[in-house]
Amino acid sequence: MIPFYAEELGNINALRITLSVPPTCDVAKTIEVKNNVLTLDGITVADLSSVNVQISADNLVVTRATETSEDGLLPWEIKLSLLQRSKILKSEQTEVKEWWTSKQLLKQPQQRQFQCKHCSQVLVDASTDFKIKDLPSEHWYELIECWICHETKPEEHRTRMKPILSRADVILVGTTYFLIHPENIKADSIEVDPIVAKRVNWERGTLTKWIAINCSYCKNAIGEGQYCIENNEEQLLAVKLYKYCIQLQPTLVEQPTFTDFLVSDLVNTAKTHATHRFLIQGQQSQHAFVLIWLFNWDINIIHNNGYSNDDCCKDDKLSRERVIKVIYLDCRKEDEDSKKCLKLWLNDKSTDHLIYPDRVCDELVNELNQSNLILPFYMRKMNHPAMIFTPNFSIGFIKKKT
């Protein structure tokens, strides 16, 4: 099996391939492209018809990379023309799929149970006949100036700019969570996260605070609760149940993972704040898990896992995936390099902070490290001296579903 990795470059309508062969093989002399099949000395390397990609050898360019793989193989880079134009329009590149919207929930009007994803404890009283409505963008308040171009009096739109509150017997559907009134939460099903609660200072900041909550049975994170102080006691005003921490019964056809919601947060925040740098932070520990730089918001990659060190992952079959390409730094080791870079990003105001439960942050970094293994060894790091914000960063991919 010959290790194979390729990217579809829609802007120039080309397919850029990297494959690695023994030093005795001269790819420039032995390569042949015919009927969407790439061969070397008559041996099939990749049948691109299997992933619905049409190629042409009219503008074939073959170059030998200067690097050498760890296993002694020599990498070669090949550039081919794509016969079909990319179906992904520029306007679609910054659009992301919405999961578990009100429309999807209303298609099956029967009563639903909202359960903890880990232990299946029921969290919401399913006997209630709920109204289901979508919430606006998470950034609606920041974008208010785009909606209101003039006003005759300063207080004219003040009543419309109040925070959106939970309502009894109504499920308000956000991009990554459900907003539910406390009356509709099953008794004793949730509890405040004790680690986060200890850090809350009621003498400073806002009168209401969002505090992490856990499933009372298995203690796993499930969302946030909005609390205030009344009569010297904490009163619950609203509950956000993270979609990636719960399950619905009866189940919907689509079963998204945490990274599906992460894609929404990354793209929507990048569009609103015009940023491409993100710090992913743990909700309980407050530790920085990973720094992410959006490199390409929408790209198709093709690979056969041939560059993976795990022989069980290797397969002659090609996979084609639509992904977001990122440059990232795993901050969990807390070495000097990561501390220095983390300080640099923290001092930069264009860095956006995204906070999630520690468990899913850890899973995200593991997935990024796994995605890095589909690349040739010499392509796994981005370490250009001119890029001071990304020294020794790794290249990774986050799957983008359509």
Side-chain angles (χ1 to χ4, degrees), residues 67-84:
E67 293 80 0
T68 303
S69 301
E70 287 185 322
D71 53 9
L73 298 177
L74 294 181
W76 289 74
E77 296 181 354
I78 302 164
K79 188 176 176 182
L80 294 164
S81 296
L82 288 169
L83 288 180
Q84 80 277 28

Side-chain angles (χ1 to χ4, degrees), residues 162-192:
K162 292 181 179 179
I164 299 174
L165 305 176
S166 63
R167 306 172 193 173
D169 303 335
V170 177
I171 296 176
L172 297 176
V173 185
T175 304
T176 60
Y177 63 87
F178 296 109
L179 183 64
I180 298 173
H181 194 275
E183 290 181 10
N184 300 123
I185 298 294
K186 188 177 179 183
D188 301 323
S189 63
I190 64 172
E191 63 182 23
V192 173

Side-chain angles (χ1 to χ4, degrees), residues 83 166 171 191 217 225-226 242 291 316 349 369:
L83 288 180
S166 63
I171 296 176
E191 63 182 23
Y217 184 78
Q226 186 183 31
Y242 299 149
L291 304 178
D316 288 330
K349 293 183 179 179
N369 288 336

Side-chain angles (χ1 to χ4, degrees), residues 56 70 89 106 113 137 164 179 188 194 203 206 246 263 279 301 314 316 331 338 381 389:
S56 168
E70 287 185 322
L89 302 176
L106 289 168
Q113 284 190 347
S137 162
I164 299 174
L179 183 64
D188 301 323
E203 296 179 359
T206 57
I246 66 171
V263 167
L279 187 154
I301 61 172
K314 296 181 179 181
D316 288 330
C331 297
S338 63
K381 293 284 186 179
F389 279 93

Side-chain angles (χ1 to χ4, degrees), residues 16-247:
R16 186 177 63 194
I17 300 169
T18 303
L19 51 84
S20 297
V21 297
T24 55
C25 179
D26 189 336
V27 173
K29 294 180 179 179
T30 59
I31 188 171
E32 184 179 357
V33 180
K34 187 177 181 180
N35 297 328
N36 284 328
V37 178
L38 189 153
T39 60
L40 293 177
D41 267 340
I43 300 174
T44 299
V45 176
D47 182 358
L48 292 165
S49 296
S50 65
V51 288
N52 197 29
V53 173
Q54 307 295 317
I55 55 174
S56 168
D58 291 344
N59 299 311
L60 175 65
V61 177
V62 181
T63 56
R64 178 175 163 179
T66 56
E67 293 80 0
T68 303
S69 301
E70 287 185 322
D71 53 9
L73 298 177
L74 294 181
W76 289 74
E77 296 181 354
I78 302 164
K79 188 176 176 182
L80 294 164
S81 296
L82 288 169
L83 288 180
Q84 80 277 28
R85 289 284 177 182
S86 174
K87 294 182 180 180
I88 303 173
L89 302 176
K90 287 185 178 180
S91 60
E92 295 176 341
Q93 292 180 349
T94 57
E95 296 300 321
V96 292
K97 183 178 177 62
E98 297 292 335
W99 302 91
W100 290 358
T101 62
S102 64
K103 185 177 180 181
Q104 291 172 315
L105 268 62
L106 289 168
K107 281 184 178 179
Q108 297 175 308
Q110 68 265 37
Q111 294 176 343
R112 289 194 178 278
Q113 284 190 347
F114 290 65
Q115 300 177 348
C116 172
K117 193 172 186 178
H118 296 88
C119 67
S120 299
Q121 175 176 247
V122 177
L123 303 171
V124 176
D125 185 3
S127 62
T128 304
D129 185 17
F130 286 104
K131 293 181 180 178
I132 303 175
K133 298 181 179 181
D134 279 323
L135 285 167
S137 162
E138 286 298 291
H139 308 284
W140 72 270
Y141 200 84
E142 300 170 69
L143 297 171
I144 197 71
E145 290 182 359
C146 298
W147 299 349
I148 303 173
C149 58
H150 67 279
E151 55 185 3
T152 56
K153 298 179 181 178
E155 66 276 8
E156 183 178 352
H157 300 287
R158 195 167 295 166
T159 56
R160 303 179 187 179
M161 295 173 62
K162 292 181 179 179
I164 299 174
L165 305 176
S166 63
R167 306 172 193 173
D169 303 335
V170 177
I171 296 176
L172 297 176
V173 185
T175 304
T176 60
Y177 63 87
F178 296 109
L179 183 64
I180 298 173
H181 194 275
E183 290 181 10
N184 300 123
I185 298 294
K186 188 177 179 183
D188 301 323
S189 63
I190 64 172
E191 63 182 23
V192 173
D193 186 286
I195 298 175
V196 177
K198 286 181 181 179
R199 296 197 299 261
V200 176
N201 185 352
W202 287 101
E203 296 179 359
R204 298 181 61 184
T206 57
L207 296 176
T208 64
K209 300 183 186 297
W210 287 98
I211 306 174
I213 56 173
N214 299 333
C215 169
S216 60
Y217 184 78
C218 66
K219 313 304 180 184
N220 278 292
I222 54 171
E224 294 176 278
Q226 186 183 31
Y227 290 86
C228 71
I229 296 292
E230 288 185 7
N231 301 322
N232 295 321
E233 291 186 0
E234 291 184 1
Q235 298 293 327
L236 182 60
L237 304 176
V239 174
K240 284 183 182 178
L241 294 179
Y242 299 149
K243 293 180 181 179
Y244 48 86
C245 290
I246 66 171
Q247 62 186 5

Side-chain angles (χ1 to χ4, degrees), residues 5 73 95 312 323:
Y5 168 78
L73 298 177
E95 296 300 321
C312 296
V323 298

Side-chain angles (χ1 to χ4, degrees), residues 278-394:
F278 296 89
L279 187 154
I280 308 300
Q281 182 178 328
Q283 194 174 52
Q284 289 77 23
S285 67
Q286 292 190 306
H287 291 160
F289 277 76
V290 62
L291 304 178
I292 292 179
W293 183 307
L294 291 188
F295 191 72
N296 191 321
W297 291 21
D298 204 315
I299 189 173
N300 284 327
I301 61 172
I302 304 167
H303 64 92
N304 62 1
N305 276 322
Y307 290 102
S308 173
N309 295 325
D310 188 354
D311 291 334
C312 296
C313 295
K314 296 181 179 181
D315 191 351
D316 288 330
K317 185 179 179 181
L318 292 180
S319 297
R320 185 187 185 203
E321 298 172 332
R322 188 176 179 185
V323 298
I324 294 177
K325 187 176 182 179
V326 301
I327 310 173
Y328 73 95
L329 180 67
D330 186 345
C331 297
R332 296 177 298 183
K333 297 179 182 178
E334 296 187 346
D335 53 29
E336 289 302 318
D337 289 339
S338 63
K339 288 180 181 178
K340 182 179 178 180
C341 198
L342 179 59
K343 184 178 180 181
L344 184 66
W345 281 48
L346 285 171
N347 291 334
D348 186 84
K349 293 183 179 179
S350 66
T351 300
D352 233 302
H353 293 228
L354 297 178
I355 301 173
Y356 303 104
D358 285 47
R359 179 186 58 80
V360 295
C361 290
D362 197 52
E363 291 175 359
L364 167 64
V365 185
N366 290 336
E367 288 183 25
L368 285 172
N369 288 336
Q370 190 65 36
S371 72
N372 179 259
L373 300 180
I374 70 175
L375 290 165
F377 185 77
Y378 75 96
M379 294 175 62
R380 294 178 182 179
K381 293 284 186 179
M382 176 71 74
N383 200 11
H384 196 282
M387 300 182 70
I388 61 172
F389 279 93
T390 57
N392 207 32
F393 272 48
S394 300

